[in-house]
Amino acid sequence: MVSLLLQDRAPGDSTASCDVVGAPEVPTATTSRTPATALGSRCADCRFHAACIGCAFRTALGFGGEPLVGYRRHLAANEVLFHAGARCTLIHVVQAGFFKTVVLSDDGAEQITGFQMPGDLLGLDGLGTGVHAVDAIAITEASVCVVSRARLLQANGESEELRQRLLAALCDEIRSDHGTMLLLGCRSAEERVAGFLIDLSERLAGRGYSACDLGLWMTREEIGAFLGLELETVSRALSSLIRHGLIEVHRRAIRITDMRGLREAVAGHAAHARHQRDA
Amino acid sequence: MVSLLLQDRAPGDSTASCDVVGAPEVPTATTSRTPATALGSRCADCRFHAACIGCAFRTALGFGGEPLVGYRRHLAANEVLFHAGARCTLIHVVQAGFFKTVVLSDDGAEQITGFQMPGDLLGLDGLGTGVHAVDAIAITEASVCVVSRARLLQANGESEELRQRLLAALCDEIRSDHGTMLLLGCRSAEERVAGFLIDLSERLAGRGYSACDLGLWMTREEIGAFLGLELETVSRALSSLIRHGLIEVHRRAIRITDMRGLREAVAGHAAHARHQRDA
DNA sequence: CGAGGTGTTGAGATTTGTCAACCTACGTGG
DNA sequence: CCACGTAGGTTGACAAATCTCAACACCTCG
């Protein structure tokens, strides 16, 4: 599963560590960078080329062929991309691997606000103020394409298409958050887990992956921190979905065997009752 | 309380019903409009003039002195401003009164995603796609300043300052949603209600109202629909906060008598324990 | 004065959290 | 190569929080 998602990474990438402009935000021994000049052909090969807000504008803008993306950064699992409160000078596009974004309260409570997969933007919430509002942490080995915030803002003034895309990305984030709030506020534990799987499935399908065979790159604890549940409750909910014949689970791999049933499990008894009534 | 918040409304406004350009989205008998020409001096008098994304740009932009705001619309309590799924052609700035935004799921579950007060923007989530993602409903008598979406997008291309403001507004929305997710995912009922009151207090204070004397313009049921609680639980939580001497409640009016204690009530025992340890 | 909307409180049912035991997979070091 | 430790996952039993249902109080409005 992981190798599938990392397929865009050329072998040996993680050993190429020639730094380019821009100080690393969180320098670590495991971090490495690929310079922009080497990215030229790579960007064109990237499966997200057309969708990528950083790559697609290299010709559209008056940057003399320079892409918005400055360089590509590789991260080990559990490595921090940026911390909440840190200055936001860079915007990232996930190129491979998975991330989580986390808000931490004063008293140590920890809420995961989202999981990001290849093609997703990271750090948009810091675009306005220039200060990050969340921690972003790689939950698998991962790589991101790095865009300077200042450059993105400049380009935002120059390209109508980029403005539309940026606006769309921000609105998507808001919509997605509203969907999560619906899960958190209105759903039982089992419904939340079912909804989480459906959402994951749809997002993966939208990126060309299988809609039924999902890897779960996050632990039960992380799923719980996203859904407002304890890890034991997540585990029980998954077991219940298995018993109902909706999914199969093998450690971190999940297969959705009854998509329709799983969708009904999200809406819960209300939808089930209505379905029976309408039939 | 309500009269305080409606103080910007000149007497008789709700009877002035001279329509201007742009078909009403949801025409009702109680809706009335004030034409842009009559708004000129009114906008300058508005207490949110400097902050208003629609008013402040009348001179900055090359619109020949025309303000972005087209007209002002008045709504009765419980009147719908726009529905989810409807085309988003207008963006609104709350000028007086209070609103709620609601996401509805297929099966009838209803999650309030936010309460909007004077100075807040409404409908930003539809800016990208041109389709509203939430219902917006006035919870008191209210008035909004109306900006054409197309015009706002056009101005977004022309004014660097507007771009910054719009970006800031969108990022604020995302941050605020993340804060709500933290409440929903990590807090007990009493902590959620305390956090809700603190947030309300801060937002009101930021707009020049009292931080301690709040009107609650929403019902217990609406507070519950926002916090993921039943109305009885909200009522019990409020009673508990009263018993602890943190607030006083008189129907819809709330006075915060111990702001520090209320803040500690949000973080819960963890913060309390830490506070004792540090002391 | 009555009706209906709103808010409070109580009692019992249900869901979820908490604590504990146990299991498996995996990596490490002898 | 195997023993061991550790992290992650599952399940059970009980405790705690919240929901549900019900009764009642209060206020507004006609």
Side-chain angles (χ1 to χ4, degrees):
Chain A
M1 275 298 178
V2 171
S3 62
L4 174 73
L5 279 159
L6 293 177
Q7 68 188 9
D8 291 326
R9 285 188 51 226
D13 270 1
S14 58
T15 59
S17 58
C18 29
D19 277 4
V20 284
V21 280
E25 290 187 295
V26 183
T28 72
T30 54
T31 302
S32 65
R33 288 175 178 70
T34 306
T37 48
L39 281 177
S41 58
R42 298 275 305 283
C43 273
D45 292 341
C46 177
R47 63 186 304 171
F48 299 109
H49 178 65
C52 177
I53 210 164
C55 291
F57 293 94
R58 86 185 291 211
T59 49
L61 298 171
F63 286 125
E66 254 188 294
L68 272 179
V69 169
Y71 54 90
R72 199 177 281 180
R73 178 176 164 191
H74 301 281
L75 297 96
N78 301 316
E79 193 177 343
V80 174
L81 182 58
F82 54 79
H83 271 297
R87 283 193 56 196
C88 168
T89 59
L90 304 172
I91 305 295
H92 301 87
V93 189
V94 181
Q95 199 271 329
F98 281 73
F99 286 82
K100 62 177 174 183
T101 48
V102 186
V103 283
L104 227 95
S105 75
D106 315 326
D107 61 315
E110 193 176 314
Q111 174 69 32
I112 294 181
T113 57
F115 295 104
Q116 290 77 30
M117 52 181 66
D120 288 338
L121 285 160
L122 266 171
L124 279 187
D125 56 277
L127 206 53
T129 57
V131 177
H132 285 297
V134 296
D135 290 4
I137 302 168
I139 59 178
T140 65
E141 186 182 0
S143 65
V144 290
C145 296
V146 180
V147 182
S148 148
R149 170 172 172 267
R151 195 113 166 259
L152 186 61
L153 290 177
Q154 181 198 351
N156 189 39
E158 296 173 9
S159 160
E160 170 63 24
E161 194 192 346
L162 180 57
R163 268 196 295 280
Q164 284 183 13
R165 285 215 197 183
L166 200 52
L167 223 49
L170 286 160
C171 290
D172 274 356
E173 166 92 26
I174 292 174
R175 266 159 211 261
S176 152
D177 287 349
H178 287 177
T180 303
M181 287 167 67
L182 185 71
L183 272 191
L184 289 172
C186 299
R187 305 299 193 192
S188 72
E190 193 169 326
E191 289 163 1
R192 288 184 215 187
V193 172
F196 169 71
L197 293 177
I198 292 285
D199 180 61
L200 211 56
S201 160
E202 286 176 351
R203 290 168 66 201
L204 285 169
R207 283 160 178 76
Y209 300 116
S210 163
C212 293
D213 287 303
L214 327 175
L216 277 196
W217 295 271
M218 55 292 288
T219 66
R220 306 289 189 263
E221 187 171 15
E222 285 168 330
I223 298 173
F226 177 63
L227 295 175
L229 301 170
E230 294 304 311
L231 66 93
E232 293 95 333
T233 308
V234 173
S235 181
R236 275 185 249 271
L238 285 172
S239 298
S240 173
L241 293 175
I242 295 171
R243 274 195 302 276
H244 288 91
L246 305 179
I247 62 172
E248 289 170 6
V249 178
H250 226 279
R251 307 256 338 129
R252 294 280 181 96
I254 286 195
R255 165 167 299 180
I256 299 176
T257 52
D258 181 354
M259 185 67 80
R260 190 175 160 187
L262 194 60
R263 285 183 191 280
E264 283 172 3
V266 182
H269 297 304
H272 189 245
R274 196 186 42 194
H275 181 253
Q276 289 187 322
R277 186 197 63 203
D278 292 347
Chain B
M1 280 297 178
V2 171
S3 62
L4 173 73
L5 277 159
L6 293 177
Q7 68 188 9
D8 292 326
R9 285 188 51 227
D13 269 3
S14 59
T15 60
S17 58
C18 28
D19 277 2
V20 284
V21 280
E25 289 187 296
V26 183
T28 72
T30 53
T31 303
S32 64
R33 287 176 177 71
T34 306
T37 49
L39 280 177
S41 58
R42 297 276 305 284
C43 272
D45 293 339
C46 177
R47 65 186 303 169
F48 299 108
H49 178 64
C52 176
I53 210 163
C55 290
F57 293 94
R58 93 184 286 213
T59 50
L61 297 172
F63 285 126
E66 253 187 296
L68 272 179
V69 168
Y71 55 89
R72 201 177 278 180
R73 177 176 164 191
H74 301 280
L75 298 96
N78 300 316
E79 194 176 341
V80 174
L81 182 58
F82 54 78
H83 271 298
R87 283 193 55 198
C88 169
T89 59
L90 304 173
I91 304 296
H92 302 87
V93 189
V94 182
Q95 199 272 328
F98 281 73
F99 286 81
K100 63 177 174 183
T101 47
V102 185
V103 284
L104 226 96
S105 76
D106 314 328
D107 61 316
E110 194 176 313
Q111 174 69 30
I112 293 180
T113 56
F115 295 105
Q116 290 76 28
M117 52 181 68
D120 287 338
L121 286 160
L122 265 171
L124 280 187
D125 55 276
L127 206 53
T129 56
V131 177
H132 285 295
V134 296
D135 290 3
I137 303 169
I139 59 178
T140 64
E141 187 182 359
S143 66
V144 291
C145 296
V146 180
V147 182
S148 147
R149 171 172 172 266
R151 195 112 165 260
L152 186 60
L153 289 178
Q154 181 198 351
N156 189 39
E158 296 173 9
S159 161
E160 171 61 24
E161 194 191 345
L162 180 58
R163 267 196 296 280
Q164 285 184 12
R165 285 215 197 184
L166 199 54
L167 223 49
L170 286 160
C171 290
D172 274 356
E173 166 94 25
I174 292 173
R175 266 160 211 260
S176 152
D177 287 348
H178 287 176
T180 303
M181 287 166 68
L182 186 70
L183 273 191
L184 288 172
C186 299
R187 304 300 192 190
S188 72
E190 195 170 324
E191 290 164 0
R192 289 185 214 188
V193 173
F196 170 70
L197 293 178
I198 292 284
D199 181 61
L200 211 56
S201 161
E202 286 177 349
R203 289 170 65 202
L204 285 170
R207 282 161 178 77
Y209 300 116
S210 163
C212 293
D213 287 303
L214 327 176
L216 277 196
W217 295 270
M218 54 293 288
T219 66
R220 305 288 189 266
E221 187 171 15
E222 285 168 330
I223 298 174
F226 177 63
L227 295 176
L229 301 170
E230 294 305 311
L231 65 95
E232 295 96 329
T233 309
V234 173
S235 181
R236 276 184 248 272
L238 285 173
S239 299
S240 172
L241 293 175
I242 294 171
R243 274 195 302 277
H244 288 91
L246 305 179
I247 61 172
E248 289 169 6
V249 177
H250 226 278
R251 303 239 5 110
R252 294 279 181 97
I254 286 196
R255 165 167 299 177
I256 299 177
T257 53
D258 181 355
M259 184 67 81
R260 189 174 160 188
L262 194 61
R263 284 183 192 281
E264 282 173 5
V266 181
H269 297 303
H272 189 247
R274 196 185 43 193
H275 181 254
Q276 289 187 322
R277 187 197 62 202
D278 293 347

Coordinates of all heavy atoms in Angstrom, one line a residue, chain B residues 85-147:
Chain B
G85 N -27.0 24.7 -1.4 CA -27.3 24.1 -2.8 C -27.7 25.2 -3.7 O -27.7 25.0 -4.9
A86 N -28.1 26.4 -3.2 CA -28.5 27.5 -4.1 C -27.3 28.1 -4.7 O -26.2 28.1 -4.1 CB -29.3 28.5 -3.3
R87 N -27.5 28.7 -5.9 CA -26.4 29.4 -6.5 C -26.0 30.6 -5.6 O -26.8 31.3 -5.1 CB -26.8 29.9 -7.9 CG -26.8 28.8 -8.9 CD -26.9 29.4 -10.3 NE -25.8 30.4 -10.6 CZ -25.8 31.3 -11.5 NH1 -26.8 31.4 -12.3 NH2 -24.8 32.1 -11.7
C88 N -24.7 30.7 -5.5 CA -24.1 31.8 -4.7 C -23.8 33.0 -5.6 O -22.7 33.0 -6.2 CB -22.9 31.4 -3.9 SG -22.0 32.7 -3.1
T89 N -24.6 34.0 -5.7 CA -24.3 35.2 -6.5 C -24.0 36.4 -5.6 O -23.6 37.4 -6.1 CB -25.5 35.5 -7.4 OG1 -26.6 35.7 -6.6 CG2 -25.8 34.3 -8.4
L90 N -24.3 36.3 -4.3 CA -24.2 37.4 -3.4 C -23.4 37.0 -2.2 O -23.6 35.9 -1.7 CB -25.6 37.9 -3.0 CG -26.5 38.3 -4.1 CD1 -27.9 38.7 -3.5 CD2 -26.0 39.5 -4.9
I91 N -22.6 37.9 -1.7 CA -21.9 37.7 -0.4 C -22.5 38.8 0.5 O -22.8 39.9 0.1 CB -20.4 38.0 -0.6 CG1 -19.8 37.1 -1.6 CG2 -19.7 37.8 0.8 CD1 -19.9 35.6 -1.3
H92 N -22.7 38.4 1.8 CA -23.3 39.3 2.7 C -22.4 39.7 3.9 O -21.6 38.8 4.3 CB -24.6 38.6 3.3 CG -25.6 38.3 2.2 ND1 -25.5 37.1 1.6 CD2 -26.6 38.9 1.7 CE1 -26.5 37.0 0.7 NE2 -27.2 38.1 0.7
V93 N -22.5 40.9 4.3 CA -21.9 41.3 5.6 C -23.0 41.6 6.6 O -23.9 42.4 6.3 CB -21.1 42.6 5.3 CG1 -20.2 42.9 6.6 CG2 -20.2 42.5 4.1
V94 N -22.9 40.9 7.7 CA -23.9 41.2 8.8 C -23.8 42.6 9.3 O -22.7 43.0 9.7 CB -23.8 40.2 9.9 CG1 -24.9 40.5 11.0 CG2 -23.9 38.8 9.4
Q95 N -24.8 43.4 9.2 CA -24.8 44.8 9.7 C -25.4 44.9 11.0 O -25.0 45.7 11.8 CB -25.5 45.7 8.6 CG -25.1 47.1 8.7 CD -26.0 47.9 9.6 OE1 -27.1 47.5 9.8 NE2 -25.4 48.9 10.3
A96 N -26.5 44.2 11.3 CA -27.1 44.2 12.6 C -27.8 42.8 12.7 O -28.2 42.2 11.8 CB -28.1 45.3 12.6
G97 N -28.0 42.4 14.0 CA -28.6 41.2 14.3 C -27.7 40.0 14.3 O -26.5 40.1 14.1
F98 N -28.3 38.8 14.4 CA -27.5 37.5 14.5 C -28.0 36.5 13.5 O -29.2 36.4 13.2 CB -27.5 37.0 15.9 CG -26.6 37.7 16.8 CD1 -26.9 38.9 17.3 CD2 -25.4 37.1 17.3 CE1 -26.1 39.6 18.2 CE2 -24.6 37.7 18.1 CZ -24.9 39.0 18.6
F99 N -27.0 35.7 13.0 CA -27.4 34.6 12.1 C -26.8 33.3 12.6 O -25.9 33.3 13.4 CB -26.8 34.9 10.7 CG -27.5 36.0 9.9 CD1 -27.2 37.3 10.2 CD2 -28.4 35.7 9.0 CE1 -27.9 38.3 9.5 CE2 -29.1 36.7 8.3 CZ -28.9 38.0 8.6
K100 N -27.3 32.2 12.0 CA -26.7 30.9 12.2 C -26.5 30.3 10.8 O -27.2 30.6 9.9 CB -27.5 30.0 13.0 CG -28.9 29.6 12.4 CD -29.7 28.6 13.3 CE -31.1 28.4 12.7 NZ -31.9 27.5 13.6
T101 N -25.4 29.5 10.6 CA -25.2 28.8 9.4 C -25.3 27.3 9.8 O -24.8 26.8 10.8 CB -23.8 29.0 8.8 OG1 -22.8 29.0 9.8 CG2 -23.8 30.4 8.1
V102 N -26.0 26.5 8.9 CA -26.4 25.2 9.2 C -26.0 24.2 8.1 O -26.3 24.6 6.9 CB -27.9 25.1 9.5 CG1 -28.3 23.7 9.9 CG2 -28.4 26.1 10.5
V103 N -25.4 23.1 8.4 CA -25.3 22.0 7.4 C -26.3 20.9 7.7 O -26.5 20.6 8.9 CB -23.9 21.4 7.3 CG1 -22.9 22.3 6.6 CG2 -23.3 21.1 8.7
L104 N -26.9 20.5 6.7 CA -28.0 19.4 6.8 C -27.5 18.2 6.1 O -27.1 18.3 5.0 CB -29.3 19.9 6.2 CG -30.5 19.7 7.0 CD1 -30.8 21.0 7.8 CD2 -31.7 19.3 6.2
S105 N -27.6 17.1 6.8 CA -27.2 15.8 6.1 C -28.4 15.2 5.5 O -29.5 15.6 5.7 CB -26.5 14.9 7.0 OG -27.5 14.3 7.9
D106 N -28.2 14.2 4.6 CA -29.2 13.5 3.9 C -30.3 13.0 4.8 O -31.5 13.1 4.5 CB -28.7 12.3 3.1 CG -27.4 12.6 2.4 OD1 -27.3 13.8 1.9 OD2 -26.6 11.8 2.3
D107 N -29.9 12.5 6.0 CA -30.9 11.9 6.8 C -31.5 12.9 7.8 O -32.2 12.4 8.8 CB -30.2 10.8 7.6 CG -29.1 11.3 8.5 OD1 -28.3 12.1 7.9 OD2 -29.0 10.9 9.6
G108 N -31.3 14.2 7.6 CA -32.0 15.1 8.5 C -31.2 15.6 9.7 O -31.6 16.5 10.4
A109 N -30.0 15.0 9.9 CA -29.2 15.5 11.0 C -28.8 17.0 10.7 O -28.5 17.3 9.5 CB -27.9 14.7 11.1
E110 N -28.7 17.8 11.7 CA -28.5 19.2 11.5 C -27.4 19.7 12.4 O -27.5 19.6 13.6 CB -29.8 19.9 11.9 CG -29.9 21.3 11.4 CD -31.3 21.9 11.8 OE1 -32.3 21.3 11.5 OE2 -31.4 23.0 12.3
Q111 N -26.4 20.2 11.8 CA -25.2 20.8 12.6 C -25.1 22.2 12.3 O -24.9 22.6 11.1 CB -23.9 20.0 12.2 CG -22.7 20.6 12.9 CD -22.7 20.3 14.4 OE1 -23.2 19.3 14.9 NE2 -22.0 21.2 15.1
I112 N -25.1 23.1 13.3 CA -24.9 24.5 13.2 C -23.4 24.7 13.1 O -22.6 24.2 14.0 CB -25.5 25.3 14.3 CG1 -27.0 25.2 14.2 CG2 -25.0 26.7 14.3 CD1 -27.7 26.0 15.3
T113 N -22.9 25.3 12.1 CA -21.4 25.4 11.9 C -20.9 26.8 12.5 O -19.7 26.9 12.7 CB -21.0 25.4 10.4 OG1 -21.7 26.4 9.7 CG2 -21.4 24.0 9.9
G114 N -21.8 27.7 12.8 CA -21.4 29.0 13.3 C -22.5 29.9 13.6 O -23.6 29.8 13.0
F115 N -22.2 30.9 14.5 CA -23.2 32.0 14.7 C -22.5 33.3 14.2 O -21.3 33.5 14.5 CB -23.5 32.1 16.1 CG -24.3 30.9 16.7 CD1 -23.7 30.0 17.5 CD2 -25.7 30.8 16.3 CE1 -24.4 28.9 17.9 CE2 -26.4 29.7 16.8 CZ -25.8 28.8 17.6
Q116 N -23.1 34.1 13.4 CA -22.5 35.3 12.9 C -23.1 36.5 13.5 O -24.3 36.6 13.7 CB -22.7 35.3 11.3 CG -21.9 34.3 10.6 CD -22.5 32.9 10.7 OE1 -23.7 32.8 10.8 NE2 -21.7 31.9 10.6
M117 N -22.3 37.5 13.8 CA -22.7 38.7 14.4 C -22.3 39.9 13.5 O -21.6 39.7 12.6 CB -22.1 38.8 15.8 CG -20.6 38.7 15.9 SD -20.0 38.8 17.6 CE -20.7 37.3 18.3
P118 N -22.7 41.1 13.9 CA -22.4 42.3 13.0 C -20.9 42.4 12.7 O -20.1 42.2 13.6 CB -22.9 43.4 13.9 CG -24.0 42.9 14.6 CD -23.7 41.5 15.0
G119 N -20.6 42.6 11.5 CA -19.2 42.7 11.0 C -18.8 41.4 10.4 O -17.8 41.4 9.6
D120 N -19.5 40.2 10.6 CA -19.1 39.0 10.1 C -19.5 38.8 8.6 O -20.6 39.4 8.2 CB -19.6 37.8 10.9 CG -18.9 37.6 12.2 OD1 -17.8 38.1 12.3 OD2 -19.5 37.1 13.1
L121 N -18.8 38.0 7.9 CA -19.2 37.8 6.5 C -20.0 36.5 6.4 O -19.8 35.6 7.2 CB -17.9 37.6 5.6 CG -17.2 38.9 5.3 CD1 -15.8 38.6 4.9 CD2 -17.9 39.6 4.2
L122 N -21.0 36.5 5.5 CA -21.8 35.3 5.3 C -21.8 34.8 3.9 O -21.9 35.6 3.0 CB -23.3 35.7 5.7 CG -23.7 35.4 7.1 CD1 -25.1 36.0 7.3 CD2 -23.8 33.9 7.3
G123 N -21.5 33.5 3.7 CA -21.6 32.9 2.4 C -20.2 32.8 1.7 O -20.1 32.4 0.6
L124 N -19.2 32.9 2.5 CA -17.8 32.8 2.0 C -17.5 31.4 1.4 O -16.8 31.3 0.4 CB -16.8 33.1 3.0 CG -16.5 34.6 3.3 CD1 -15.3 34.8 4.2 CD2 -16.2 35.3 2.0
D125 N -18.2 30.4 2.0 CA -17.9 29.0 1.5 C -18.4 28.8 0.1 O -18.1 27.8 -0.5 CB -18.5 28.0 2.5 CG -20.0 28.3 2.7 OD1 -20.4 29.2 3.5 OD2 -20.8 27.7 1.9
G126 N -19.3 29.7 -0.4 CA -19.8 29.6 -1.7 C -19.0 30.4 -2.7 O -19.2 30.4 -3.9
L127 N -18.0 31.1 -2.2 CA -17.2 32.0 -3.1 C -16.4 31.2 -4.2 O -16.4 31.7 -5.3 CB -16.2 32.8 -2.2 CG -15.7 34.1 -2.7 CD1 -16.9 35.0 -3.0 CD2 -14.8 34.8 -1.7
G128 N -15.9 30.1 -3.8 CA -15.1 29.3 -4.8 C -16.0 28.7 -5.8 O -15.8 28.9 -7.0
T129 N -17.0 27.9 -5.4 CA -17.7 27.1 -6.3 C -18.9 27.8 -6.9 O -19.5 27.4 -8.0 CB -18.3 25.9 -5.6 OG1 -19.1 26.3 -4.5 CG2 -17.2 25.0 -5.2
G130 N -19.4 28.9 -6.3 CA -20.6 29.6 -6.7 C -21.8 28.9 -6.3 O -22.9 29.2 -6.7
V131 N -21.7 27.9 -5.4 CA -22.9 27.2 -4.8 C -22.7 27.3 -3.3 O -21.7 26.9 -2.8 CB -23.0 25.8 -5.3 CG1 -24.1 25.1 -4.6 CG2 -23.1 25.7 -6.8
H132 N -23.8 27.7 -2.6 CA -23.7 27.7 -1.2 C -23.6 26.3 -0.6 O -24.3 25.4 -1.1 CB -25.0 28.4 -0.6 CG -25.0 29.9 -0.8 ND1 -24.0 30.7 -0.2 CD2 -25.7 30.7 -1.5 CE1 -24.3 31.9 -0.5 NE2 -25.3 32.0 -1.3
A133 N -22.9 26.2 0.5 CA -22.7 24.9 1.2 C -23.5 24.8 2.5 O -23.6 23.8 3.1 CB -21.2 24.6 1.4
V134 N -24.0 25.9 2.9 CA -24.8 26.0 4.2 C -26.0 26.8 4.0 O -26.2 27.5 3.1 CB -23.9 26.6 5.3 CG1 -22.7 25.8 5.6 CG2 -23.5 28.0 4.9
D135 N -27.0 26.5 4.9 CA -28.1 27.4 5.1 C -27.7 28.6 6.0 O -27.0 28.4 7.0 CB -29.3 26.7 5.8 CG -29.9 25.7 4.9 OD1 -29.4 25.5 3.8 OD2 -31.0 25.1 5.3
A136 N -28.1 29.8 5.7 CA -27.9 30.9 6.6 C -29.3 31.5 7.0 O -30.1 31.8 6.1 CB -27.1 32.0 5.9
I137 N -29.5 31.5 8.3 CA -30.8 31.9 8.8 C -30.6 33.0 9.9 O -29.8 32.8 10.7 CB -31.5 30.7 9.4 CG1 -31.6 29.6 8.3 CG2 -32.9 31.0 10.0 CD1 -32.1 28.2 8.9
A138 N -31.4 34.0 9.8 CA -31.4 35.1 10.8 C -32.0 34.5 12.1 O -33.1 33.9 12.0 CB -32.2 36.3 10.3
I139 N -31.4 34.7 13.2 CA -32.0 34.2 14.5 C -32.5 35.4 15.3 O -33.2 35.2 16.3 CB -31.0 33.4 15.3 CG1 -29.8 34.2 15.7 CG2 -30.6 32.1 14.6 CD1 -28.8 33.5 16.6
T140 N -32.3 36.6 14.8 CA -33.0 37.8 15.3 C -33.4 38.6 14.1 O -33.0 38.3 13.0 CB -32.1 38.6 16.2 OG1 -31.0 39.2 15.4 CG2 -31.5 37.8 17.3
E141 N -34.2 39.6 14.3 CA -34.3 40.6 13.3 C -32.9 41.1 12.9 O -32.1 41.2 13.8 CB -35.2 41.8 13.8 CG -35.6 42.8 12.7 CD -36.3 44.0 13.3 OE1 -36.6 44.0 14.5 OE2 -36.7 44.9 12.5
A142 N -32.7 41.3 11.6 CA -31.3 41.5 11.2 C -31.3 42.3 9.9 O -32.3 42.4 9.2 CB -30.6 40.2 11.0
S143 N -30.1 42.8 9.6 CA -29.9 43.4 8.3 C -28.5 43.1 7.8 O -27.6 43.0 8.6 CB -30.1 44.9 8.3 OG -29.1 45.6 9.1
V144 N -28.4 42.9 6.5 CA -27.1 42.6 5.9 C -26.8 43.5 4.8 O -27.7 44.1 4.1 CB -27.1 41.1 5.3 CG1 -27.1 40.1 6.4 CG2 -28.2 41.0 4.4
C145 N -25.5 43.8 4.6 CA -25.1 44.6 3.4 C -24.7 43.6 2.3 O -24.0 42.6 2.6 CB -23.9 45.4 3.8 SG -24.3 46.7 5.0
V146 N -25.2 43.8 1.1 CA -25.1 42.8 0.1 C -24.1 43.2 -1.0 O -24.1 44.4 -1.5 CB -26.5 42.7 -0.6 CG1 -26.4 41.6 -1.7 CG2 -27.5 42.3 0.4
V147 N -23.2 42.3 -1.3 CA -22.1 42.5 -2.3 C -22.3 41.4 -3.3 O -22.4 40.3 -3.0 CB -20.7 42.4 -1.6 CG1 -19.6 42.7 -2.6 CG2 -20.6 43.3 -0.4

